[in-house]
Amino acid sequence: MWTVLWFRPATMSALLFSLLLLLSTLCRLGQSMSREEKLKLRNQVVEMFDHAYSNYMDHAYPADELMPLTCRGRVRGLEPSRGDVDDALGMFSLTLIDTLDTLVLLNKTAEFEAAVRRVLKDVRLDNDVVVSVFETNIRVLGGLLGGHSMAVMLKDAGHYMQWYQDELLHMAKDLGLRLLPAFNTSSGLPYPRVNLKHGVRGPESRTGTETDTCTACAGTIILEFAALSRFTGDPVFEVHARRALNFLWEKRQRNSNLVGTTINIHSGEWVRRDSGVGAGIDSYYEYLLKAYILLGDDLFLQRFNIHYASIMKYISQPPLLLDVHIHKPLLPARTWMDSLLAFFPGLQVLKGDIRPAIETHEMLYQVTKKHNFLPEAFTTDFRVHWAQHPLRPEFAESTYFLYKATKDPYYLEVGRTVLDNLNRFARVPCGFAAMKDVRTGSHEDRMDSFFLAEMFKYLFLLFAEEEDLPFNVEDYIFTTEAHLLPLSLSLSTAPHAPSPPANSTVQAASLPHLSASVKSLWSEEELDDSNFDWTCPNTRLLFPDPAFPRNLRDPIRSAVDKSCPRPALHREPGMGRPPLRAQDFMANNPDHLELLRRMGVSLIHLKDGRVQLVQHATQAVSAVAAEDGMRFMQEMMELSSQQQKEQLPPRAVQIISHPFFGRVVLTAGPAQFGTDLSKSITGVRGFVTVAEPYSGCAELSNAAFVQGRIALLQRGQCMFAEKARHIMKAGAIGGIVIDDNEGSSSDTAPLFQMAGDGRNTDDVTLPLLFLFYKEGNILLEALKEYREVEVLLSDKARDRASIFKGQ
């Protein structure tokens, strides 16, 4: 058995400092986070939102989505098809509509007003394109309704949107009417796709032949359609949504009270009979409970409670949530879980079932820490099953709801981890890129609209104080896309619906505790406020012992982290000293090197200045020494990982000369020394020249040509700081180091950050950036073809208007 690890000797003090930071973080768990820390994290959320939103507007709008690696918009039909994923794109500026109410929540009221004007001016809904009914409903219809809710709220406040005359609502009704033809089936279940211009079943529609849909696709309509009906007074939308929900309820498996994943929209037969709370079913359950909260109809709560009892009986195996067969619910359907189930702890908070919410959330958090993000699917022993991660927000959503319910500062630290991982692994010069593989850190040229619609809402709410919010969120309910619908809609006229059975009783203890949100559904005569002491989350009863939630989490943490070191009960005779700890290790200490040898660990110096550690357990002097070696390697990896969490976000090399004019942006790694480009408003602009020698490891022979320019250097042969000092001496204004590993790319490799050489690097006062081979070759080929190539080194890609302003 062997393990490999590499690091820079010069960073050992930083590693030790990182470990101390880690220990201080662990000590903070269970303690209150200071108001200043929360403010800092809240502001960080806003900065990250600005980075994503501004890059969409600068590089993609009016396209539906931003492609953050190539800094352009994704236009359906112009890019290679991604299959069903593209059904969300309807040429209706999806990301902008999905983001409208996020702008208001983050106190960007002026930007919201400008965005609404853009939508009204630019967006068309009569496009000849086939779209997903489900995605269009939750993202576009929900986005328009959320935007309308915010516009009305702001107008009523008397400062902004005084010109607004329900224009977004009119657009929403237009879109609702375009979706309605999909519901023209004998069952009432909608077709999964509809043509925005031609509807279904017509020769021009290119749809209407489908027979199957997912349960969530048919059952996640009621909030948006009911809100549209109650806003407009037209009951047709809510009637159709209720009809679809009624049909799904009738088709549940009567013995298990579970639903399958895929259903035939004509016959009602289950096509896929596996049942869980993740992909294909998830938001069906969510909308049953939230429909009760929004609309006040006891029937929805009754159905949800029956389903929930079956989920907890058959699917929930704390902390796991495993799919089963609906006809044989004691028989598991698969041995892995998908990331969409991460919403479920948040739903359990609304239900009032806190204990399993804590347990499942903790399992998800430990998987997140193990892989930096939740893989799209992972096995029951927490290994990667599907390695993608499209920046899904469900885990952040559940984190927010658990913090809101418990006020346990542990969940603030969880949120901090989410922020750190997004900045460290997903941030690129033109936004945030989805992860193609969480194991390698490779990216996908994708930033879905839900990232802006949901992720930043929940993270902002997690860290914000009440006075930071422009309105009372308790007056609204979040849709599955986190759009805000006012609870006052429950008082609007509802279409006629069947009454619940006469013997149905709603117990106060079954109601989610949403303060005024839920209480507004009941009159003072119907329900006394004191009864709500027995609803969730009454943390005085749930957590009489502050250690209670920690006692729930600790066993799960141990179960997920299979690599926890065992204490060595018997030391090897003759060792005479405790085992070497990673934080104490020094690569130039002969005693430490001898201890490594005894543990089966060898040390190799690489040409680029890194040190590689390799363990062969069979070469250790004893089994105990081999175990010490394994523990040492694990500690070293943890220290290295912790240090990397302190890394700077990526930088940008933007080619701005003819014929590129800023359209080509190369993702670059930063240096831990030299000019910090994040503190430069304009960046560093200059023409590039290849240094001679190309390695930059000696005084430059072409110093006259390098002076006043940005030097190109090849990685290897000496330390990065030494290269920087040589080009500085030649008069360069910046440097770009290009990887010598042929084939390396920022698309497939995690960001590389250049370290110093162990000495004081305050003398280095120019910026130094790192390009992988693929990106560096783009720059070298441009230089070969055009001879004079000008670039801009900056903390992020700049829009072309600002680059060439006044020129």
Side-chain angles (χ1 to χ4, degrees):
M1 181 176 182
W2 53 274
T3 307
V4 179
L5 176 68
W6 53 82
F7 63 96
R8 296 187 180 281
T11 64
M12 290 308 297
S13 60
L15 286 174
L16 178 56
F17 177 67
S18 297
L19 179 66
L20 293 174
L21 286 178
L22 175 62
L23 291 175
S24 66
T25 298
L26 293 175
C27 292
R28 283 201 305 267
L29 301 184
Q31 299 177 6
S32 302
M33 180 179 285
S34 70
R35 189 180 182 87
E36 290 72 22
E37 283 183 284
K38 287 183 69 177
L39 176 63
K40 180 180 177 182
L41 293 170
R42 187 207 69 185
N43 291 341
Q44 188 177 2
V45 173
V46 175
E47 185 279 328
M48 292 165 66
F49 170 84
D50 289 341
H51 179 65
Y53 179 71
S54 63
N55 274 288
Y56 166 74
M57 296 304 295
D58 290 343
H59 298 291
Y61 183 81
D64 283 315
E65 288 179 350
L66 169 68
M67 299 172 67
L69 298 183
T70 50
C71 300
R72 56 197 172 96
R74 183 179 295 280
V75 179
R76 190 168 173 181
L78 298 184
E79 304 295 334
S81 173
R82 301 176 297 170
D84 292 348
V85 175
D86 283 340
D87 289 343
L89 310 180
M91 300 180 183
F92 35 35
S93 300
L94 170 65
T95 298
L96 181 59
I97 291 177
D98 220 0
T99 308
L100 288 176
D101 50 9
T102 309
L103 288 166
V104 179
L105 184 68
L106 270 60
N107 295 292
K108 296 183 176 296
T109 315
E111 291 91 332
F112 169 74
E113 188 158 4
V116 172
R117 291 187 185 276
R118 278 184 182 257
V119 169
L120 300 180
K121 173 176 172 286
D122 298 339
V123 174
R124 294 180 58 89
L125 298 174
D126 61 344
N127 304 316
D128 184 7
V129 59
V130 176
V131 297
S132 161
V133 173
F134 167 72
E135 297 289 357
T136 304
N137 174 65
I138 65 170
R139 299 201 207 188
V140 186
L141 182 58
L144 291 171
L145 292 171
H148 170 68
S149 301
M150 296 293 97
V152 170
M153 180 271 296
L154 291 171
K155 183 177 181 179
D156 290 345
H159 299 294
Y160 291 88
M161 304 299 292
Q162 296 304 301
W163 54 269
Y164 183 70
Q165 298 294 328
D166 296 345
E167 289 88 347
L168 291 178
L169 180 59
H170 300 323
M171 288 185 70
K173 184 171 183 179
D174 180 19
L175 181 60
L177 292 171
R178 295 179 186 280
L179 296 179
L180 273 185
F183 292 80
N184 187 21
T185 61
S186 58
S187 66
L189 298 180
Y191 285 99
R193 296 172 185 83
V194 67
N195 186 298
L196 289 174
K197 189 168 188 172
H198 301 293
V200 295
R201 301 183 71 86
E204 303 92 351
S205 69
R206 301 184 302 282
T207 185
T209 59
E210 301 95 336
T211 59
D212 304 332
T213 193
C214 73
T215 302
C217 300
T220 311
I221 305 290
I222 184 65
L223 292 187
E224 292 82 4
F225 268 40
L228 182 57
S229 282
R230 299 189 181 208
F231 272 132
T232 62
D234 186 346
V236 64
F237 306 103
E238 186 170 343
V239 167
H240 278 84
R242 285 177 177 263
R243 184 179 175 217
L245 275 180
N246 289 342
F247 189 83
L248 287 173
W249 172 253
E250 290 300 319
K251 291 300 177 180
R252 76 192 186 283
Q253 211 292 321
R254 297 304 179 97
N255 292 321
S256 66
N257 281 316
L258 296 173
V259 292
T261 302
T262 307
I263 193 170
N264 184 294
I265 61 177
H266 304 295
S267 68
E269 294 295 318
W270 291 109
V271 179
R272 280 185 52 191
R273 301 184 177 190
D274 50 316
S275 184
V277 296
I281 301 178
D282 49 2
S283 48
Y284 163 68
Y285 294 132
E286 177 185 4
Y287 269 37
L288 280 178
L289 180 56
K290 289 183 175 180
Y292 163 68
I293 297 171
L294 180 66
L295 306 176
D297 189 335
D298 296 353
L299 187 65
F300 293 124
L301 180 63
Q302 181 193 32
R303 291 177 179 179
F304 173 80
N305 281 338
I306 291 172
H307 280 315
Y308 186 78
S310 293
I311 290 169
M312 299 309 291
K313 181 177 181 180
Y314 299 119
I315 293 170
S316 177
Q317 301 177 34
L320 308 180
L321 292 162
L322 296 177
D323 282 22
V324 299
H325 293 278
I326 59 175
H327 293 88
K328 298 179 180 178
L330 297 177
L331 184 65
R334 63 189 190 190
T335 59
W336 48 272
M337 296 166 278
D338 65 74
S339 63
L340 284 170
L341 61 75
F343 89 100
F344 198 67
L347 190 65
Q348 289 178 306
V349 170
L350 291 182
K351 159 66 180 171
D353 203 359
I354 295 288
R355 179 179 184 129
I358 290 174
E359 292 172 329
T360 297
H361 179 275
E362 182 61 24
M363 177 270 292
L364 295 169
Y365 181 41
Q366 295 305 318
V367 173
T368 296
K369 292 206 294 186
K370 201 176 188 74
H371 303 294
N372 301 316
F373 297 100
L374 272 182
E376 196 71 332
F378 52 94
T379 63
T380 53
D381 60 349
F382 315 113
R383 300 178 187 274
V384 172
H385 184 70
W386 296 335
Q388 307 96 317
H389 173 76
L391 307 182
R392 294 200 185 278
E394 285 78 12
F395 178 68
E397 174 185 358
S398 287
T399 302
Y400 161 65
F401 278 111
L402 270 167
Y403 178 68
K404 186 175 178 64
T406 66
K407 294 301 179 184
D408 187 341
Y410 180 83
Y411 296 109
L412 297 175
E413 297 298 340
V414 173
R416 189 202 299 267
T417 299
V418 173
L419 283 183
D420 289 347
N421 286 347
L422 284 172
N423 270 325
R424 177 185 167 198
F425 296 108
R427 187 169 182 142
V428 294
C430 281
F432 292 84
M435 308 305 296
K436 183 187 296 183
D437 192 321
V438 298
R439 297 165 298 191
T440 64
S442 59
H443 288 137
E444 189 176 352
D445 203 0
R446 171 181 179 184
M447 190 179 83
D448 289 84
S449 67
F450 53 66
F451 183 62
L452 285 162
E454 299 184 65
M455 181 71 81
F456 295 112
K457 271 198 191 86
Y458 290 124
L459 290 175
F460 182 83
L461 286 168
L462 178 66
F463 297 116
E465 301 290 349
E466 193 171 316
E467 56 268 26
D468 298 331
L469 304 178
F471 56 89
N472 185 1
V473 293
E474 295 290 339
D475 294 335
Y476 297 82
I477 194 166
F478 291 106
T479 69
T480 195
E481 191 77 2
H483 292 306
L484 293 152
L485 299 178
L487 288 168
S488 57
L489 288 173
S490 64
L491 305 177
S492 303
T493 303
H496 176 73
S499 299
N503 62 351
S504 68
T505 303
V506 181
Q507 299 294 334
S510 301
L511 299 175
H513 176 71
L514 295 171
S515 76
S517 302
V518 174
K519 294 179 189 177
S520 66
L521 303 178
W522 302 85
S523 69
E524 291 292 333
E525 293 76 17
E526 290 175 308
L527 193 63
D528 184 76
D529 279 356
S530 64
N531 289 324
F532 279 85
D533 287 343
W534 296 100
T535 63
C536 170
N538 189 333
T539 52
R540 289 182 291 108
L541 298 177
L542 279 170
F543 304 140
D545 177 5
F548 174 71
R550 187 172 68 246
N551 292 338
L552 292 181
R553 292 190 290 255
D554 286 348
I556 297 166
R557 183 179 298 117
S558 299
V560 175
D561 189 3
K562 297 293 186 182
S563 62
C564 282
R566 299 192 311 274
L569 300 178
H570 304 287
R571 302 301 316 145
E572 176 197 0
M575 284 290 279
R577 68 183 78 181
L580 178 64
R581 307 305 301 267
Q583 63 264 32
D584 300 327
F585 174 68
M586 291 186 292
N588 58 355
N589 186 316
D591 291 339
H592 289 181
L593 297 178
E594 172 60 18
L595 288 174
L596 290 188
R597 185 195 66 76
R598 297 178 70 84
M599 294 188 296
V601 179
S602 56
L603 182 145
I604 304 170
H605 290 272
L606 303 179
K607 65 177 184 178
D608 61 359
R610 291 183 299 168
V611 172
Q612 181 176 343
L613 295 176
V614 182
Q615 189 199 27
H616 299 271
T618 56
Q619 297 180 7
V621 297
S622 70
V624 173
E627 185 173 342
D628 287 343
M630 284 296 295
R631 178 193 45 73
F632 174 83
M633 296 293 283
Q634 289 160 4
E635 288 181 356
M636 189 64 76
M637 284 187 279
E638 289 170 5
L639 287 174
S640 298
S641 174
Q642 186 62 28
Q643 183 204 21
Q644 290 169 7
K645 287 184 179 180
E646 306 297 323
Q647 287 187 347
L648 302 169
R651 305 305 188 207
V653 176
Q654 196 164 2
I655 306 179
I656 60 177
S657 53
H658 172 82
F660 306 99
F661 298 120
R663 295 186 182 90
V664 175
V665 180
L666 309 174
T667 300
Q672 296 174 346
F673 55 88
T675 300
D676 184 355
L677 290 170
S678 68
K679 298 178 181 178
S680 171
I681 299 175
T682 59
V684 174
R685 178 173 177 167
F687 290 91
V688 296
T689 297
V690 177
E692 295 177 8
Y694 189 23
S695 68
C697 293
E699 287 194 20
L700 270 55
S701 60
N702 63 337
F705 295 100
V706 170
Q707 186 173 8
R709 294 189 167 223
I710 295 171
L712 301 183
L713 307 147
Q714 187 178 43
R715 179 183 184 180
Q717 300 184 35
C718 65
M719 303 296 284
F720 295 114
E722 185 178 347
K723 298 175 189 286
R725 291 185 178 102
H726 282 133
I727 63 173
M728 268 187 63
K729 187 174 181 180
I733 59 173
I736 300 173
V737 178
I738 298 174
D739 196 7
D740 58 349
N741 180 18
E742 188 170 349
S744 68
S745 166
S746 64
D747 294 344
T748 56
L751 181 71
F752 182 82
Q753 179 170 301
M754 295 178 289
D757 56 1
R759 295 191 289 151
N760 189 316
T761 53
D762 291 345
D763 60 315
V764 179
T765 56
L766 52 66
L768 194 70
L769 298 183
F770 177 88
L771 290 178
F772 283 108
Y773 183 89
K774 175 184 172 183
E775 288 77 11
N777 200 50
I778 292 173
L779 189 55
L780 291 172
E781 288 296 322
L783 186 60
K784 186 185 300 182
E785 183 170 357
Y786 298 102
R787 298 178 65 99
E788 288 292 317
V789 174
E790 189 178 14
V791 301
L792 174 66
L793 311 183
S794 58
D795 62 328
K796 62 181 179 180
R798 306 298 172 93
D799 64 278
R800 295 192 292 276
S802 66
I803 294 174
F804 300 109
K805 186 176 181 180
Q807 296 185 17

